[in-house]
Amino acid sequence: METTILRGYISRFLTSNTNGWGLAIFVNENNSKAQIKIKGSISLMKAKVLYEINGKYEEHPKYGKSFAVTTFKQAEANSKNQVIKFLSSPIFPGVGEKKAELIVNHFGDQAITQIKNDFDALYEVPGLDKAIARVIIDALKEMQYSERLISEFFEHNLKVDILNQVKKYTEDDDETEHIFKNNFLKFARDKNIFPFEEADRVAVHFGLDLNSPERIGH
């Protein structure tokens, strides 16, 4: 069966576990009535953020139709309503619809792309105070970094569950990447991060020498 690409939002999570596996309701970006259950290593996804997900439809005799996610990435909003919905989501505390509309009126429906290309331009939006602009900039930068790490795992066929497990012990993605690049196998052993063979692949990807004492010792 061929893979399929869907665009939309997670409306709510139905369940998730400590290793990052989750089950959620995914809503089509253009039709709120078009919903499907999605499953997989999706716990790093956020509700009400527009995503592009890649995967396959599955049919279960008891639980019905679902969509198994293999990869996901934040999708670019392509309408003013989508941008307003995104900026007024809980990801940007204190913004709300009215301030989001100020931003969209200033930049248009490509507001997010323009802001990412020049963060300081957000300070030029009439009626938008600097504190709110700072909230948006910080959140977008954090999301960019997080998406880069997720994409790196997907692109190099590294187990996303490992990323999920490590993020439980870190405050941000800088700290997460630092752990991957510095004595990660010891960290994985101490925190019982498994499967260890996958942790080893991650350590090697982030620079651990194949013949290093750290690797041979484990």
Side-chain angles (χ1 to χ4, degrees), residues 128-139:
L128 188 71
D129 58 81
K130 291 185 177 181
I132 291 297
R134 187 75 256 169
V135 167
I136 295 170
I137 291 169
D138 288 346

Side-chain angles (χ1 to χ4, degrees), residues 70-167:
T70 53
T71 65
F72 65 84
K73 65 179 181 179
Q74 185 184 338
E76 290 295 331
N78 53 21
S79 73
K80 290 185 177 181
N81 286 338
Q82 287 178 346
V83 177
I84 291 171
K85 184 175 181 178
F86 177 53
L87 289 174
S88 59
S89 73
I91 297 171
F92 306 97
V95 178
E97 286 192 14
K98 289 185 177 179
K99 293 184 177 66
E101 287 173 358
L102 289 176
I103 295 168
V104 171
N105 289 338
H106 183 78
F107 290 110
D109 56 7
Q110 298 299 311
I112 303 303
T113 299
Q114 291 191 45
I115 294 168
K116 288 179 178 178
N117 290 336
D118 181 10
F119 286 110
D120 288 340
L122 194 58
Y123 292 114
E124 300 173 5
V125 176
L128 188 71
D129 58 81
K130 291 185 177 181
I132 291 297
R134 187 75 256 169
V135 167
I136 295 170
I137 291 169
D138 288 346
L140 286 176
K141 285 182 176 180
E142 177 65 22
M143 289 183 72
Q144 276 187 313
Y145 200 102
S146 181
E147 289 289 329
R148 186 184 67 76
L149 263 184
I150 293 169
S151 296
E152 189 165 354
F153 268 69
F154 281 138
E155 289 169 7
H156 293 89
N157 199 30
L158 302 174
K159 198 170 183 65
V160 179
D161 286 354
I162 299 294
L163 177 59
N164 283 307
Q165 290 181 68
V166 173
K167 285 179 74 68

Side-chain angles (χ1 to χ4, degrees), residues 36 45 52 55 78 91 131 138 142 163 170-171 186 204 216:
I36 190 169
M45 295 176 68
E52 184 176 287
N78 53 21
I91 297 171
D138 288 346
E142 177 65 22
L163 177 59
T170 59
E171 295 293 328
K186 182 180 184 303
V204 170
I216 295 171

Side-chain angles (χ1 to χ4, degrees), residues 28-98:
N28 182 281
E29 66 174 325
N30 297 316
N31 183 2
S32 61
K33 294 183 179 180
Q35 304 181 1
I36 190 169
K37 291 180 182 177
I38 64 171
K39 61 185 180 181
S41 297
I42 60 173
S43 69
L44 293 179
M45 295 176 68
K46 296 178 174 62
K48 299 181 181 180
V49 172
L50 181 62
Y51 284 101
E52 184 176 287
I53 60 176
N54 191 303
K56 295 181 179 181
Y57 288 103
E58 294 183 352
E59 191 77 37
H60 190 279
K62 181 178 179 180
Y63 299 108
K65 194 174 185 179
S66 64
F67 189 84
V69 178
T70 53
T71 65
F72 65 84
K73 65 179 181 179
Q74 185 184 338
E76 290 295 331
N78 53 21
S79 73
K80 290 185 177 181
N81 286 338
Q82 287 178 346
V83 177
I84 291 171
K85 184 175 181 178
F86 177 53
L87 289 174
S88 59
S89 73
I91 297 171
F92 306 97
V95 178
E97 286 192 14
K98 289 185 177 179

